[in-house]
Amino acid sequence: MRIPTGILATALALTLAVGCSGSSKKEHSAEVFAMDTLIFLSAWGEYGHQAVQQGESYLYYIEDKFSTTRTSSELSQLNAGAGQWQSVSDDMAQVIVHALALSKETGGAFDPTIHSILTTWGFTTDSFQVPDPTEIHELMPYVGAEKIKYNEKTQEVLIPKGFSLDFGGIAKGYAGDELANAMEEAGVKTGLLTLGGNVVAIGRKTDGAMWNIGIQNPSGGGALASVAIEDKAVVTSGGYQRYFAREGELYGHIIDPTTGYPAQSGLTSVTIITDSALEGDVLSTALFVMGVEKGADYWREHQDFEAVFITDEGDIFITQGIHPWFTLASGYTEGTLRVITP
Ligand code: AMP
Ligand code: MG
């Protein structure tokens, strides 16, 4: 599902023409704060330096499209123009098409129209509050991705009045795929991109070994396991990544679109291992909302990705395909490990 954007691919292809020097073992890296997230880009070898630099500018460019806090962003402008057909950029078009299709596919567990609900909880501004139930009740009619109309021919979207979109659960995955594609096209054979909970690996490590990607223990204390991968994305969603506490209750940033309240599905995190970071980003959020039973059924029906679920009790459920590549941290005794079979 990796589809390179024209602009980034062209910019990075130029680095090939200009030519760069450096050994294939040399790491080039950058730390960027964009999309409300700390992002690390690493690329090894002669094309690495420019690829990382271009990647950095690309992230600001993407942030300018998908931010919901910046009123000047393309998405904010689209939300402000709800009620009329509006043309969208190529990047926006890609994200809208995938978001609407995956919202349908996940039965609405992933729903980008959750924006007004997120705002009322303060997740978009960090002014957290537990809203009055009547407030949520009044906003719920404006949740439902099936109400968003998109015309592929004219590349126009119609957001009905009262609705607004949030791509916080998909944009980093989209950006990760685009970056990885563009870097590969520019000649990068080894790279690792970490956009918050979205990790995208290009190729294998320079010594030929697979990457070992750690999965955080949601209750703290580092990684509870790792998965060995090459050329894949490993994407984690968890309530613990962004939450606030009120009167002893924790409220996480992943909302159950059927209730308008933070999802309480018995899970603390879901990790998706897949070829497409965009798909991983959406599915980690969606399967977190579904919980382990429905999530396992979703995997059984699709089987084009693997998943690791961590429950509130610390138990770990992994899908069969990732089992050979999964290593539990020695000393993890908080829960048991179970394998989900087809
Ligand atoms: P992630 O960190 O990828 O799990 O995405 C979580 C972010 O996606 C949140 O911070 C919100 O911006 C947005 N979000 C929350 N709940 C949902 C949902 N059910 N469907 C789609 N996006 C959501
Ligand atoms: Mg996500």
Side-chain angles (χ1 to χ4, degrees):
M1 219 194 268
R2 284 187 184 170
I3 309 148
T5 47
I7 295 169
L8 181 64
T10 314
L12 285 176
L14 281 174
T15 67
L16 268 176
V18 174
C20 316
S21 58
S23 103
S24 66
K25 293 271 156 92
K26 189 164 169 19
E27 179 182 359
H28 305 272
S29 57
E31 204 179 296
V32 185
F33 189 79
M35 297 193 265
D36 216 9
T37 308
L38 198 50
I39 298 172
F40 301 94
L41 306 177
S42 285
W44 281 258
E46 55 184 331
Y47 306 115
H49 179 66
Q50 297 223 31
V52 163
Q53 276 191 332
Q54 300 277 7
E56 197 171 338
S57 334
Y58 173 72
L59 288 167
Y60 297 128
Y61 158 86
I62 278 292
E63 176 174 46
D64 228 27
K65 295 199 176 277
F66 294 105
S67 167
T68 49
T69 46
R70 228 178 259 182
T71 50
S72 62
S73 78
E74 183 181 0
L75 187 56
S76 295
Q77 296 290 319
L78 291 172
N79 283 337
Q84 58 198 338
W85 283 98
Q86 304 179 82
S87 21
V88 301
S89 68
D90 292 349
D91 292 291
M92 189 62 70
Q94 293 279 353
V95 171
I96 288 175
V97 166
H98 286 122
L100 297 184
L102 286 163
S103 182
K104 194 169 176 199
E105 192 64 27
T106 59
F110 178 87
D111 193 321
T113 61
I114 204 72
H115 182 68
S116 53
I117 298 277
L118 283 165
T119 304
T120 199
W121 282 93
F123 284 114
T124 51
T125 52
D126 284 353
S127 316
F128 303 118
Q129 59 152 348
V130 180
D132 197 87
T134 55
E135 214 176 306
I136 293 187
H137 185 74
E138 280 163 16
L139 288 172
M140 285 304 282
Y142 302 103
V143 176
E146 70 284 353
K147 299 277 169 42
I148 306 297
K149 303 266 176 292
Y150 180 71
N151 183 329
E152 268 188 77
K153 280 208 191 88
T154 58
Q155 207 167 302
E156 286 179 319
V157 70
L158 174 62
I159 305 168
K161 261 214 166 325
F163 282 72
S164 54
L165 297 173
D166 180 288
F167 290 138
I170 182 172
K172 287 192 283 288
Y174 172 74
D177 283 340
E178 294 290 295
L179 270 173
N181 261 325
M183 285 186 174
E184 279 172 321
E185 273 186 32
V188 171
K189 300 253 183 304
T190 298
L192 194 68
L193 318 173
T194 307
L195 300 87
N198 295 241
V199 180
V200 189
I202 300 173
R204 287 184 170 220
K205 297 203 285 187
T206 50
D207 63 2
M210 291 171 88
W211 303 96
N212 274 312
I213 309 297
I215 297 175
Q216 290 293 316
N217 186 339
S219 37
L224 58 68
S226 65
V227 287
I229 52 136
E230 66 177 289
D231 244 336
K232 281 203 186 300
V234 178
V235 186
T236 301
S237 286
Y240 71 96
Q241 290 169 335
R242 196 168 156 83
Y243 66 92
F244 68 95
R246 284 289 181 286
E247 292 167 17
E249 278 286 320
L250 298 184
Y251 298 94
H253 68 140
I254 299 173
I255 305 288
D256 181 343
T258 60
T259 63
Y261 282 80
Q264 283 190 319
S265 57
L267 295 175
T268 46
S269 82
V270 175
T271 299
I272 303 290
I273 302 100
T274 154
D275 289 332
S276 153
L278 178 145
E279 189 196 22
D281 200 359
V282 168
L283 292 184
S284 59
T285 311
L287 271 55
F288 184 90
V289 171
M290 289 181 198
V292 70
E293 273 173 37
K294 281 192 190 154
D297 284 342
Y298 188 90
W299 172 77
R300 289 188 186 100
E301 280 160 28
H302 295 79
Q303 292 195 41
D304 54 354
F305 66 93
E306 302 299 333
V308 176
F309 301 84
I310 302 171
T311 71
D312 289 341
E313 287 78 37
D315 292 329
I316 304 169
F317 291 80
I318 64 175
T319 54
Q320 198 175 50
I322 198 66
H323 197 192
W325 313 106
F326 181 90
T327 309
L328 196 61
S330 61
Y332 183 78
T333 53
E334 287 164 48
T336 55
L337 176 65
R338 282 172 236 176
V339 179
I340 299 168
T341 53

